[in-house]
Amino acid sequence: MRRHILAGLLAWGLFTGCNEVRQVRLTFGAEGEGLDGFLCREDDGAYLLSRALPAGGGAVPSSLVIDFIRLGGLPGCRSGQLVSWCAEHDCAVIPGHRVCIPAPLPDITDLPRPEARQVIGQALGSLSGASVSSEAPEEFVIVRATATLQSCEELAASGGGAALREEALVGCAYSCPVALNAIEGDVYLGFDTLTEQCAQGVRVCASGDLHWRP
């Protein structure tokens, strides 16, 4: 069975050999509860997203990168479990499946967290129905959505699975390990954090190998 992945907040359709079409959504939750990884602050209290505001104001020119991360098995879902698993297994972006979508994000510099969550959710909601993949990998993966200041053109030129530049990262969310050809319903993307100062967590989430680095 082939699965066609859409963004809607990211959704995807599934195609079988009999041309059956099914759709599954990638979602950050009904209330945007999975967007914590887009609301991280540096140690000085500034949102990651605020680092790249245009001089004249307006939206930050960012991109949303959808990756499928090969796991080589079935670890737990929490970030610590994934990092521990990937310390001993080859966790890596699956080449040829990356999709990049231009996704300008709003200025949230002076917004409290609940309002910032709402406006980012609205911005990403505008991508609803965008195509992510026409065929899901046939193995256990995590689905990752990363917001970066790198343009889709730059990422395409650097190769389909090239590492994202750390200094350009502004957000990240990921799914639990999932076999996409067996999933029914939505695939939830979220981010584990107990504090707003979670910039390092974004860097780990967006890394090519999911290995912890101090």
Side-chain angles (χ1 to χ4, degrees):
M1 179 182 294
R2 297 175 56 210
R3 301 203 171 208
H4 176 203
I5 302 164
L6 308 173
L9 258 195
L10 309 164
W12 80 68
L14 314 179
F15 294 86
T16 70
C18 299
N19 295 321
E20 176 189 356
V21 179
R22 299 161 56 202
Q23 288 193 349
V24 177
R25 297 192 315 156
L26 304 181
T27 175
F28 298 107
E31 303 298 327
E33 58 270 24
L35 291 172
D36 283 349
F38 293 79
L39 301 170
C40 286
R41 299 177 186 267
E42 292 282 12
D43 291 340
D44 63 4
Y47 285 117
L48 285 176
L49 188 58
S50 299
R51 299 176 306 172
L53 291 175
V60 175
S62 51
S63 306
L64 189 69
V65 180
I66 309 297
D67 281 318
F68 300 93
I69 312 297
R70 172 176 288 122
L71 298 172
L74 185 58
C77 188
R78 304 305 295 263
S79 58
Q81 293 173 310
L82 287 168
V83 169
S84 295
W85 174 272
C86 292
E88 299 180 356
H89 297 81
D90 182 18
C91 301
V93 173
I94 300 178
H97 283 275
R98 170 173 285 177
V99 172
C100 183
I101 306 169
L105 294 175
D107 178 7
I108 59 173
T109 302
D110 297 319
L111 295 181
R113 193 176 181 84
E115 293 181 26
R117 183 189 308 278
Q118 182 178 20
V119 297
I120 289 177
Q122 290 171 346
L124 293 177
S126 67
L127 304 178
S128 181
S131 180
V132 173
S133 177
S134 60
E135 186 171 0
E138 295 186 1
E139 57 186 291
F140 281 107
V141 298
I142 62 172
V143 184
R144 183 180 69 190
T146 309
T148 175
L149 304 178
Q150 294 176 264
S151 68
C152 291
E153 290 77 10
E154 176 187 344
L155 290 170
S158 64
L164 304 175
R165 289 194 286 111
E166 286 193 2
E167 67 274 14
L169 298 172
V170 292
C172 191
Y174 61 93
S175 74
C176 287
V178 60
L180 292 169
N181 283 324
I183 192 69
E184 299 288 345
D186 297 349
V187 174
Y188 173 76
L189 306 183
F191 182 86
D192 277 347
T193 182
L194 298 176
T195 174
E196 293 184 37
Q197 271 71 35
C198 50
Q200 173 64 348
V202 170
R203 289 187 278 269
V204 172
C205 173
S207 68
D209 54 15
L210 300 183
H211 289 178
W212 177 258
R213 288 157 299 155

